[in-house]
Amino acid sequence: MNKTEVLRLFDKEMRVEITYPPLRREETEHLVRHVSPTPDDSGVVLYSRLSEENAEEVIKQELEYFSSLQQSFEWKLFDYDQPANLLERLKDHGFTVDEEEATLVLEVAQAEELRSLVIPPEIRQITDSAGIDDIMHLKEQVWGSANEELAARLKRDLAENPEHLLVYAAYSGDRAVSAAWMYLHEDTSFGSLWGGSTLPDFRNKGYYTALVAVRVQAAQERGYPLLMVDASPMSRPILEKKGFEFLAYSYPCFFEYK
């Protein structure tokens, strides 16, 4: 993998040019933001090009802008974003920083083992709201809490754009025991992988690998050459063993509107 070229493509397609309906994409001289049409949902600053000289002023402008909308937002920061102390500057302005994530990328054409893996019959594609409810029940069992916002978003996206959201779950009888999903981002080279939750009693049975493989195979069928994932420290070594390569660290920085 030519990481310099992949990073250039990632910035162009997944940070600068991408859209996330129903969010409204706005580009200024210094950044690209996505704004929710309602204050109930959050916005995001997805890309910035700042300097030591203008960083403070631009951060203040964004805080004022989202405050005027009464909207919380995330500043998605990558370790190569400038200036080098941007993360500390955001913290100083009241942003809360979540756990560091590793952005990993897989070249689908090089993932021969995953592309050739036979998908077990327990893996089913989810195509309706009832299947999403099964997955949310699974996630609540794994993580101890429900995520109603995620459930609503997945149901909406599955209904409105089923060609670009592919959801899968492993079932034991009528019970979802492992699940994951993938967005195929229109007009880009990338699919993004999400989820990957498995009930404790059903771990080490190959479901995680099968869920990665079924998404790799779907991406290949639909002509997407690259897959990306924001990996936690726990999942990163597993994915790297399957051929994913490290691209950068990212830091989700949140500002909660009061």
Side-chain angles (χ1 to χ4, degrees), residues 102-239:
T103 299
L104 308 180
V105 175
L106 177 76
E107 286 187 299
V108 172
Q110 302 301 316
E112 182 177 350
E113 183 177 342
L114 292 168
R115 288 189 290 109
S116 62
L117 186 74
V118 176
I119 306 302
E122 293 92 337
I123 304 295
R124 307 178 195 172
Q125 185 171 357
I126 301 300
T127 58
D128 57 23
S129 293
I132 300 298
D133 288 337
D134 289 345
I135 292 174
M136 291 303 111
H137 182 62
L138 154 68
K139 291 183 71 65
E140 185 174 359
Q141 290 178 280
V142 172
W143 302 108
S145 62
N147 190 329
E148 295 179 3
E149 182 181 346
L150 173 61
R153 184 168 69 248
L154 289 174
K155 290 178 180 180
R156 180 199 69 204
D157 292 346
L158 195 58
E160 296 179 356
N161 203 358
E163 290 299 311
H164 294 95
L165 171 60
L166 304 179
V167 185
Y168 300 92
Y171 277 82
S172 175
D174 294 329
R175 182 188 186 193
V177 298
S178 185
W181 55 94
M182 171 174 67
Y183 280 95
L184 297 172
H185 299 283
E186 197 169 4
D187 300 323
T188 78
S189 309
F190 291 87
S192 59
L193 305 187
W194 302 90
S197 299
T198 304
L199 291 175
D201 290 348
F202 293 88
R203 292 170 186 167
N204 301 313
K205 296 181 180 295
Y207 291 147
Y208 185 94
T209 297
L211 287 168
V212 174
V214 73
R215 289 177 287 172
V216 168
Q217 292 171 20
Q220 181 188 33
E221 291 170 3
R222 290 161 174 77
Y224 283 79
L226 297 167
L227 291 179
M228 59 153 290
V229 59
D230 288 332
S232 68
M234 182 172 62
S235 61
R236 177 180 175 180
I238 301 171
L239 290 167

Side-chain angles (χ1 to χ4, degrees), residues 11 21 25 34-35 42 46 49 71 94 97-98 106 118 124 127 142-143 172 224 227 236 238 246 250:
D11 272 348
R25 179 186 178 277
H34 297 258
V35 180
S42 299
L46 198 57
R49 38 182 176 263
Q71 188 169 134
V97 181
D98 268 8
L106 177 76
V118 176
R124 307 178 195 172
T127 58
V142 172
W143 302 108
S172 175
Y224 283 79
L227 291 179
R236 177 180 175 180
I238 301 171
F246 174 75
S250 66

